[in-house]
Amino acid sequence: MRRPHLRHVILDTSAFIQGYNLSIDEEYYTVPEVLEEIREVLGKMRYEGAKSSGKLQEITPEKRWSDELEVKSRSAGEAHKLSPTDKQLLSLGLKLKSEGKEPIIVSDDFSVQNMAARLGFRFVSQVTKGIKNVVNWGIYCPGCRKKFDVPQEDNVCPICGTELKRKPRRG
Ligand SMILES: [Zn+2]
């Protein structure tokens, strides 16, 4: 029998607060800072349960990865928009990638998604009705003027190849 290809999924705080269905063909990763951010008892239980079952690995990425993330997020203009926990999650993505894994980040945070796309990670948005900071940003192509609702791969326009920009959306 062929072993299913495991997907390597990085979970942020919202995944534990809202709940995330653990799948048999996925392995989960997070950083310890996430647990500190969870205030809800149910969220803490989800975290501890996944960790003790062995499905969730709690990893602190080495400093070389957080240093690399800091440099790349600064050059992307995202450094000041990312929380320390966001940065640790993205640094963990760099670490996993260096191990030959293809990290998928579950986050509803626009800056995390944007940075994930720039780093060549896939990302999944969990919700997101009601999450205002997602819809408050518009992504557009300065080349062909197309607008996008979600970040595009490598932050590049799939139509004309221009690097995408973003701006706050009105109303
Ligand atoms: Zn374009």
Side-chain angles (χ1 to χ4, degrees):
M1 201 175 78
R2 196 169 149 267
R3 197 162 171 263
H5 179 67
L6 275 179
R7 302 204 305 163
H8 303 282
V9 180
I10 298 175
L11 299 176
D12 81 349
T13 307
S14 65
F16 296 100
I17 293 172
Q18 295 162 25
Y20 186 87
N21 289 325
L22 302 183
S23 161
I24 191 155
D25 56 0
E26 292 181 343
E27 276 184 350
Y28 301 93
Y29 300 84
T30 196
V31 296
E33 289 83 352
V34 162
L35 180 58
E36 293 164 25
E37 286 185 351
I38 304 172
R39 297 278 164 264
E40 299 77 4
V41 173
L42 194 56
K44 287 184 200 287
M45 284 170 62
R46 288 190 185 107
Y47 188 107
E48 297 291 1
K51 193 177 152 191
S52 60
S53 77
K55 280 294 273 182
L56 175 69
Q57 295 185 55
E58 186 190 75
I59 296 173
T60 297
E62 292 84 355
K63 188 173 177 295
R64 55 180 292 208
W65 304 118
S66 43
D67 286 348
E68 184 178 332
L69 191 274
E70 192 63 33
V71 169
K72 288 186 170 170
S73 62
R74 271 186 206 168
S75 75
E78 295 283 358
H80 65 289
K81 296 174 194 137
L82 295 164
S83 74
T85 303
D86 294 338
K87 287 181 178 175
Q88 282 298 87
L89 289 165
L90 289 160
S91 301
L92 178 56
L94 289 173
K95 176 185 167 69
L96 295 181
K97 202 170 182 186
S98 78
E99 296 167 358
K101 298 171 177 134
E102 288 180 45
I104 303 168
I105 295 192
V106 176
S107 176
D108 292 321
D109 183 275
F110 186 95
S111 289
V112 172
Q113 293 176 359
N114 204 25
M115 201 59 221
R118 280 177 173 266
L119 295 171
F121 308 156
R122 287 192 287 156
F123 55 85
V124 181
S125 177
Q126 215 181 345
V127 214
T128 37
K129 290 174 191 159
I131 301 233
K132 293 195 174 78
N133 60 0
V134 173
V135 293
N136 280 346
W137 289 94
I139 308 165
Y140 70 99
C141 172
C144 68
R145 298 280 152 194
K146 171 133 178 77
K147 295 186 174 76
F148 300 92
D149 292 327
V150 293
Q152 302 296 302
E153 201 173 339
D154 297 331
N155 199 42
V156 164
C157 176
I159 297 157
C160 72
T162 306
E163 186 168 1
L164 299 175
K165 305 238 180 239
R166 62 179 184 165
K167 61 184 172 188
R169 223 178 249 169
R170 282 170 217 275

